[in-house]
Amino acid sequence: MVNKPLQNPQQPIDPALRTPAFDAHGAAQTLHAVIPAAGRGQRFDPDAASLAKAKQYHDLAGKAVIVRSIEALLAVARIDCVWVVLAPGDQEGPQRLAEALSKAKGRLRICHLGGAERRDSVLAGVKLAVHAGADWVMVHDAARPLVSRQALDRLISSCFSLGSGGILALPVVDTVKRARPDRDGLPREQSTTDHAMTDWAINDQAATDQAATAQTFIEQTMARERLWLAQTPQLFPAQRLIQA
């Protein structure tokens, strides 16, 4: 079991690959990215019992999904280093990342310090980034390979100019309902006309379950104007992530 970075955290980054980043006051900032990749992604593939079948290792146009995600981050010159946090004992990751690692010239580093939960892997990566001198850390999902360079540049510029953290997000376009499991407190006409069947109530496998006859009652239609779908990456001052 490997419990240390596979590449020396102190290995210098090729200066020719760096583009200096500055905050609103003109102070130079060091920006690292962390990709937690210790999970199996069983929501994506319920049969992903082994790490070799994890969603980040699925093929996307000839490359693993995680490699595409890494390439998207490395395309941004202001990102000094990308840390990939793998699960202990993950032998698939180093094989899939070998080519990217050889081309990154010190800007890509991998470790086997992933935890049971995503937050554990993120924290491990953030600590490594801080130890290597990061002022800011960007956290990005391994299975989000299509983030654009323009979106990343806007996020970095906005956070640096404001001096505060931020995330990429999409406005909600669908109708969103707030629901409750009973009628108590609902207007009479609403309690008898507005209801939505729960997922398991229409699941064939649950058809014989007594709970399959239950309903979830609509309490409120949410105003979409102020609702956003959180995406990654998320970018924050490194110490704020450590303290979170």
Side-chain angles (χ1 to χ4, degrees):
M1 181 180 298
V2 180
N3 283 316
K4 60 182 180 180
L6 298 183
Q7 189 165 336
N8 187 347
Q10 302 305 318
Q11 178 179 340
I13 297 169
D14 187 341
L17 298 177
R18 289 200 58 183
T19 296
F22 301 93
D23 63 14
H25 304 289
Q29 301 292 295
T30 300
L31 168 60
H32 286 202
V34 170
I35 297 180
R40 289 175 169 78
Q42 289 184 297
R43 287 183 300 174
F44 173 81
D45 183 358
D47 297 324
S50 68
L51 284 168
K53 294 184 178 180
K55 64 180 177 180
Q56 62 264 29
Y57 299 140
H58 279 248
D59 181 82
L60 179 62
K63 295 182 180 180
V65 169
I66 188 173
V67 173
R68 297 287 184 188
S69 298
I70 291 169
E71 289 177 343
L73 297 182
L74 291 177
V76 179
R78 286 187 288 182
I79 298 177
D80 297 296
C81 181
V82 176
W83 296 86
V84 180
V85 184
L86 304 177
D90 181 356
Q91 299 179 0
E92 187 74 15
Q95 296 178 30
R96 296 297 188 106
L97 301 180
E99 182 178 355
L101 193 63
S102 66
K103 293 180 178 179
K105 298 182 180 180
R107 292 179 67 210
L108 175 62
R109 303 169 188 182
I110 60 177
C111 68
H112 287 80
L113 298 174
E117 302 291 339
R118 181 180 185 275
R119 63 176 177 268
D120 301 321
S121 301
V122 170
L123 181 59
V126 172
K127 286 182 176 179
L128 286 173
V130 169
H131 182 71
D135 300 304
W136 291 74
V137 175
M138 174 183 287
V139 180
H140 187 52
D141 285 347
R144 290 190 183 270
L146 301 181
V147 62
S148 71
R149 180 173 178 175
Q150 292 76 14
L152 294 172
D153 277 329
R154 288 199 305 270
L155 177 63
I156 295 169
S157 296
S158 178
C159 289
F160 280 14
S161 64
L162 294 173
S164 63
I167 69 171
L168 291 183
L170 295 172
V172 171
V173 296
D174 295 322
T175 300
V176 179
K177 303 285 188 179
R178 184 198 299 275
R180 59 191 302 164
D182 54 55
R183 293 189 177 99
D184 294 344
L186 294 177
R188 179 179 178 82
E189 64 278 7
Q190 183 175 334
S191 68
T192 58
T193 60
D194 291 349
H195 66 274
M197 303 301 289
T198 59
D199 288 342
W200 39 260
I202 58 174
N203 187 327
D204 290 340
Q205 295 180 353
T208 59
D209 194 310
Q210 182 178 1
T213 60
Q215 296 172 335
T216 297
F217 293 87
I218 296 169
E219 181 177 16
Q220 180 184 4
T221 299
M222 305 295 292
R224 292 178 299 201
E225 291 76 11
R226 299 175 65 182
L227 295 178
W228 293 78
L229 299 174
Q231 307 290 300
T232 66
Q234 296 133 5
L235 175 60
F236 286 86
Q239 290 301 325
R240 282 192 59 189
L241 288 176
I242 291 288
Q243 297 165 4

